[in-house]
């Protein structure tokens, strides 16, 4: 497991932006395009803003980047909670990426139909390959959830489907989410975790007993162990014994 620990969220985001530029440039020397999964929530906002800034905007050939989401809240696109909206506002509206390269999880249809439609799109990319995405960005909640895989969720043990829709009773909303069966075949997976409130659960996820039903982030285990990276700030990493 690759731990990258930085003083604060700003530094973590800056270093991750640099790291992503390097990873993308190496892959695009060998491949026609790069498949990138964006995470939702608030943590990646600074990273997205950096990637859209003068310093980074031209370091990535966005014409050759294909963008997906790890999960989506089933709320209208113009709702502030919509993950795609946040990514467009902070990044995608500011870089030269063709619209056809952007694959949002649609929230203007029944959740199960949206999951099915997304699954069809993913199969046009990965049906005949043993690998999936080139890079997946993930966040982790202070309850150990990732994507829209929440503790005790009925879909946690689904190791077949690539995409699911699921109702989150606590948030009183449906979610669309990628599933481990697809995510774990990615070439690189990065968790971005910051803040003291996640320190305890991060220590349990990384160093505690393997119990993915309670700590869903543990279910992200790429075939190649070296593919998993954790970008952390010091506050989130403070309970770890293995830094
Ligand atoms: C979402 C996310 C979710 C997120 C974590 C962390 O839609 O909420 O995809 O998995 O990454 O909840 O969220 P924060 O970055 O806001 O703490």
């Amino acid at each position: 497991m690759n731990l990258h620990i930085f003083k604060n969220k700003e530094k973590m985001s800056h270093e991750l932006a640099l790291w992503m530029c390097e990873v993308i440039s190496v892959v695009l020397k060998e491949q026609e395009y790069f498949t990138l999964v964006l995470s939702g929530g608030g943590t990646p906002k600074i990273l997205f803003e950096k990637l859209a800034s003068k310093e980074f905007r031209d370091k990535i050939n966005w014409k050759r980047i294909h963008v997906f989401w790890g999960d989506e809240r089933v709320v209208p696109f113009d709702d502030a909670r919509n993950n795609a909206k946040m990514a467009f506002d902070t990044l995608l509206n500011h870089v030269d990426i063709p619209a056809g390269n952007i694959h949002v999880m649609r929230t203007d249809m029944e959740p199960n139909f949206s999951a099915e439609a997304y699954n069809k799109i993913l199969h046009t990319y990965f049906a005949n390959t043993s690998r999936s995405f080139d890079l997946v960005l993930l966040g982790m909640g202070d309850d150990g959830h990732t994507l829209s895989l929440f503790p005790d969720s009925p879909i946690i043990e689904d190791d077949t489907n690539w995409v699911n829709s699921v109702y989150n009773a606590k948030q009183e909303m449906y979610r669309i989410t990628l599933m481990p069966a697809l995510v774990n075949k990615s070439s690189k997976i990065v968790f971005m975790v910051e803040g003291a409130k996640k320190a305890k659960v991060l220590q349990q996820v990384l160093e505690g007993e393997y119990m993915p039903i309670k700590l869903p982030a543990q279910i992200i285990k790429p075939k190649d162990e070296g593919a998993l990276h954790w970008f952390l700030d010091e506050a989130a990493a403070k309970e770890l014994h293995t830094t």
Side-chain angles (χ1 to χ4, degrees), residues 57-89:
R57 187 171 38 238
D58 301 331
K59 289 187 192 312
I60 294 176
N61 181 352
W62 286 95
K63 286 191 167 50
R64 296 173 65 194
I65 308 293
H66 291 227
V67 167
F68 305 79
W69 273 264
D71 69 335
E72 187 54 274
R73 296 92 177 265
V74 183
V75 292
F77 178 78
D78 59 2
D79 183 306
R81 294 167 297 174
N82 186 288
N83 289 331
K85 172 178 169 34
M86 188 275 277
F88 271 96
D89 290 349

Side-chain angles (χ1 to χ4, degrees), residues 107-125:
T107 60
D108 57 347
M109 59 169 70
E110 280 299 307
N112 58 329
F113 294 150
S114 178
E116 256 170 59
Y118 213 69
N119 191 46
K120 285 200 177 73
I121 293 170
L122 293 169
H123 274 80
T124 66
Y125 282 84

Side-chain angles (χ1 to χ4, degrees), residues 7-23:
K7 187 152 188 50
N8 54 42
K9 181 173 173 178
E10 203 287 333
K11 187 85 176 119
M12 174 187 84
S13 306
H14 192 271
E15 293 301 318
L16 179 50
L18 287 170
W19 184 87
M20 283 178 65
C21 292
E22 181 54 28
V23 164

Side-chain angles (χ1 to χ4, degrees), residues 39-44 71 73 83 139-141 145-148 175 198:
S39 67
T43 301
D71 69 335
R73 296 92 177 265
N83 289 331
M140 186 189 76
H145 85 260
T146 190
L147 298 163
S148 288
R175 296 250 185 151
K198 296 183 182 179

Side-chain angles (χ1 to χ4, degrees), residues 32-220:
E32 185 200 336
Y33 57 80
F34 186 95
T35 51
L36 170 63
V37 175
L38 301 180
S39 67
T43 301
K45 210 159 166 288
I46 298 183
L47 169 69
F48 294 171
E49 287 163 347
K50 280 185 179 294
L51 291 173
S53 71
K54 248 194 358 277
E55 182 183 354
F56 287 96
R57 187 171 38 238
D58 301 331
K59 289 187 192 312
I60 294 176
N61 181 352
W62 286 95
K63 286 191 167 50
R64 296 173 65 194
I65 308 293
H66 291 227
V67 167
F68 305 79
W69 273 264
D71 69 335
E72 187 54 274
R73 296 92 177 265
V74 183
V75 292
F77 178 78
D78 59 2
D79 183 306
R81 294 167 297 174
N82 186 288
N83 289 331
K85 172 178 169 34
M86 188 275 277
F88 271 96
D89 290 349
T90 54
L91 174 58
L92 299 177
N93 284 335
H94 309 284
V95 292
D96 190 15
I97 181 169
N101 289 15
I102 303 172
H103 304 291
V104 301
M105 293 173 160
R106 288 183 57 177
T107 60
D108 57 347
M109 59 169 70
E110 280 299 307
N112 58 329
F113 294 150
S114 178
E116 256 170 59
Y118 213 69
N119 191 46
K120 285 200 177 73
I121 293 170
L122 293 169
H123 274 80
T124 66
Y125 282 84
F126 306 123
N128 308 313
T129 62
S130 59
R131 310 290 303 177
S132 61
F133 303 102
D134 294 306
L135 174 60
V136 176
L137 297 176
L138 295 175
M140 186 189 76
D142 56 9
D143 59 355
H145 85 260
T146 190
L147 298 163
S148 288
L149 303 173
F150 290 86
D152 302 312
S153 166
I155 60 171
I156 292 263
E157 288 168 327
D158 175 351
D159 59 4
T160 313
N161 288 312
W162 285 6
V163 202
N164 268 328
S165 62
V166 60
Y167 184 70
N168 182 308
K170 221 163 133 189
Q171 297 173 344
E172 296 179 346
M173 71 164 75
Y174 275 93
R175 296 250 185 151
I176 315 287
T177 185
L178 295 186
M179 294 297 290
L182 184 67
V183 171
N184 281 338
K185 295 198 295 184
S186 302
S187 300
K188 285 197 179 358
I189 302 173
V190 168
F191 273 96
M192 291 178 76
V193 184
E194 60 88 23
K197 72 180 172 67
K198 296 183 182 179
K200 181 121 191 59
V201 74
L202 182 67
Q203 190 278 331
Q204 291 170 322
V205 165
L206 293 182
E207 300 173 347
E209 187 194 338
Y210 181 68
M211 43 181 178
I213 296 285
K214 296 296 177 192
L215 298 167
Q218 290 180 329
I219 213 160
I220 302 300

